[in-house]
């Protein structure tokens, strides 16, 4: 019942923006985070893959997984990606995943988890394992807790450099670009916003290898919070300078 009008949506967008690839967003909170999704169950993983294939049957060009929490080293997630990749490769579809921040220094994630057990900082090795199974990673660098735009910009820049160095060369990297205005402990809109993220990623791009530059983009979140001015800034400051 949640996608009763998917066929109509696909037809309408196919007519109006045929150049846009349409991927089905599949998200849930995992049991370790208090949610209903228990990926330790082999049958549950199989049903998630069946769901993904069902969206491809509807006509979507790929699937995007957004499952949290996702801790580094978790083999259950890697198994889910392997199973799904077998389906998407057979169908000529795209597999994409929302990814976590990378640890700023080796073993930093272990130290953080001594205090915050659910901290999702991935190490470079796990990032490479995930990226080997997918076509795209979209890192959620927002909700960083950075209080100023300069600090958030520096954080985004470092995350982009480290993740770009960790993942497979042919895996596309999308840097999460926050456009939502609701402040909370981790998000200050005056610091975390579209303009700051674009500026930070633009500063890093010249230092990346040519193929990595071609495989690096932005993932604006969320569509329903993005204003006309923010879309225009994205058009001018990102797409306009390609």
């Amino acid at each position: 019942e949640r996608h009763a009008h998917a066929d109509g949506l696909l037809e309408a967008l196919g007519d109006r923006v045929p150049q846009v690839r349409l991927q089905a967003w599949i998200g849930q909170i995992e049991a370790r985070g208090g949610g209903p999704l228990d990926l330790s169950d082999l049958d549950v993983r199989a049903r998630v893959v069946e769901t993904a294939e069902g969206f491809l049957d509807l006509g979507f060009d790929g699937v995007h997984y957004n499952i949290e929490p996702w801790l580094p080293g978790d083999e259950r997630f890697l198994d889910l990606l392997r199973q799904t990749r077998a389906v998407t490769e057979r169908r000529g579809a795209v597999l994409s995943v929302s990814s976590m921040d990378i640890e700023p220094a080796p073993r930093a994630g272990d130290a953080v988890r001594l205090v915050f057990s659910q901290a999702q900082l991935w190490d470079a090795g796990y990032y490479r394992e995930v990226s080997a199974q997918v076509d795209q990673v979209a890192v959620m660098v927002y909700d960083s807790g950075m209080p100023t735009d300069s600090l958030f910009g520096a954080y985004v820049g470092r995350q982009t450099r480290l993740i770009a160095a960790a993942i497979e060369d042919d895996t596309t990297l999308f840097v999460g670009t926050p456009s939502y205005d609701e402040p909370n402990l981790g998000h200050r809109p005056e610091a975390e916003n579209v303009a700051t993220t674009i500026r930070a990623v633009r500063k890093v791009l010249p230092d990346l290898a040519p193929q990595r530059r071609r495989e690096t983009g932005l993932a604006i979140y969320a569509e329903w919070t993005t204003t006309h001015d923010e879309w225009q800034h994205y058009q001018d400051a990102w797409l306009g300078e390609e």
Side-chain angles (χ1 to χ4, degrees), residues 27-41:
Q28 189 54 272
I29 303 299
E30 216 271 331
R32 286 188 301 188
L37 186 67
D38 183 7
L39 289 183
S40 65
D41 188 323

Side-chain angles (χ1 to χ4, degrees), residues 36-55:
L37 186 67
D38 183 7
L39 289 183
S40 65
D41 188 323
L42 292 173
D43 291 337
V44 170
R45 296 206 294 271
R47 287 199 295 274
V48 174
V49 176
E50 289 173 4
T51 298
E53 187 158 25
F55 279 108

Side-chain angles (χ1 to χ4, degrees), residues 127-181:
Y127 241 112
R128 182 165 289 274
E129 287 187 272
V130 170
S131 69
Q133 301 301 326
V134 301
D135 301 294
Q136 304 171 338
V137 294
V139 56
M140 299 180 288
V141 293
Y142 37 77
D143 293 340
S144 67
M146 299 296 169
T148 66
D149 58 350
S150 59
L151 286 174
F152 180 63
Y155 182 76
V156 169
R158 182 157 179 77
Q159 285 286 307
T160 303
R161 290 178 189 276
L162 291 174
I163 297 171
I167 64 177
E168 297 286 339
D169 291 340
D170 58 351
T171 302
T172 300
L173 168 62
F174 288 113
V175 180
T177 306
S179 68
Y180 52 99
D181 295 326

Side-chain angles (χ1 to χ4, degrees), residues 95-126:
L95 177 56
S96 179
V97 65
S98 293
S99 63
M100 310 305 160
D101 293 5
I102 194 169
E103 56 185 10
R107 308 304 298 273
D110 293 339
V112 171
R113 277 185 290 277
L114 290 175
V115 181
F116 304 102
S117 61
Q118 293 294 309
Q120 301 178 69
L121 288 174
W122 290 1
D123 57 78
Y126 193 64

